[in-house]
Amino acid sequence: DKGGHMEKKPVPEEKVRRAELPPLARKLTADLQVKADRGQYVGFQFQNLKLNLLYERGVIKNYDINFEIDDGHIATKGSADLRHLDHIPFTVDPDINALPLEKVAPLIGIDKLPLNGPMSLKGRMRGHTGSSKELLASLNGNLNAEIGPGILSKIGKVGDLFAKILSM
């Protein structure tokens, strides 16, 4: 810390390794089924969880997850290849109905969103992980989103911009 700023130093090359699965995970095959009446994840409470997952030697061949949050419902299917952890190819088919936005905000690291109300989202996306830039560049597919009815609170320039767009 020098005057309140962190100095970034490159990682020595001998410490840079490609992230990979442990040997057991590279040999493991599993067909997992989970049901839970209720649960909590990072303060996020949910009900009626159903998860089916087929895993073979580092590849999630398919997963199907379904649960409820308050009056909202989340279902998604997809797959992911975990054999190269630096760039994980994935597919996701979300089907989200009436999910309260204020419940999701803490999960994505936002204290307070400029709008609230129920959100619905449906579609199919493919991509791969990596840096944020790589992830966004790799995304391919379509998503249809609907938010509301709700309240858009004014929060500086961003709130003004939303208000101007919505007033048209």
Side-chain angles (χ1 to χ4, degrees), residues 1 3 5-6 9 14 23-24 32 41 48 57 61 69 83 106 109 111 113-114 142 144 149-150 160-161:
D1 186 5
H5 299 287
M6 297 296 290
K9 296 180 183 177
E14 63 270 6
L24 175 63
L32 178 68
Y41 174 74
N48 302 323
R57 296 180 177 89
K61 295 277 188 175
I69 298 164
R83 293 176 290 188
D111 293 331
L113 289 172
N142 64 44
N144 296 314
D160 288 340
L161 176 64

Side-chain angles (χ1 to χ4, degrees), residues 85-96:
L85 295 176
D86 295 333
H87 295 284
I88 300 172
F90 64 88
T91 63
V92 62
D93 298 345
D95 186 0
I96 300 171

Side-chain angles (χ1 to χ4, degrees), residues 66-115:
N66 205 319
F67 59 96
E68 298 169 2
I69 298 164
D70 293 338
D71 293 331
H73 178 256
I74 296 177
T76 185
K77 297 177 182 181
S79 62
D81 185 342
L82 306 176
R83 293 176 290 188
H84 305 288
L85 295 176
D86 295 333
H87 295 284
I88 300 172
F90 64 88
T91 63
V92 62
D93 298 345
D95 186 0
I96 300 171
N97 293 302
L99 177 65
L101 281 174
E102 57 274 10
K103 298 283 184 174
V104 179
L107 283 178
I108 57 177
I110 299 173
D111 293 331
K112 185 171 171 125
L113 289 172
L115 62 147

Side-chain angles (χ1 to χ4, degrees), residues 116-146:
N116 70 10
M119 175 186 75
S120 296
L121 180 77
K122 189 170 179 87
R124 179 176 183 90
M125 294 294 294
R126 286 183 305 244
H128 65 80
T129 63
S131 68
S132 296
K133 187 176 181 178
E134 290 172 318
L135 171 66
L136 291 174
S138 75
L139 291 177
N140 184 8
N142 64 44
L143 289 175
N144 296 314
E146 185 177 308

Side-chain angles (χ1 to χ4, degrees), residues 19-74:
E20 61 181 42
L21 289 171
L24 175 63
R26 290 189 304 253
K27 297 175 185 174
L28 183 68
T29 298
D31 186 356
L32 178 68
Q33 296 175 353
V34 176
K35 288 185 179 184
D37 292 334
R38 59 190 157 93
Q40 182 173 326
Y41 174 74
V42 191
F44 193 67
Q45 295 183 359
F46 56 87
Q47 302 84 36
N48 302 323
L49 170 70
K50 293 176 188 164
L51 167 68
N52 292 309
L53 183 133
L54 180 58
Y55 177 88
E56 289 183 13
R57 296 180 177 89
V59 177
I60 298 174
K61 295 277 188 175
N62 62 57
Y63 69 86
D64 185 348
I65 189 167
N66 205 319
F67 59 96
E68 298 169 2
I69 298 164
D70 293 338
D71 293 331
H73 178 256
I74 296 177

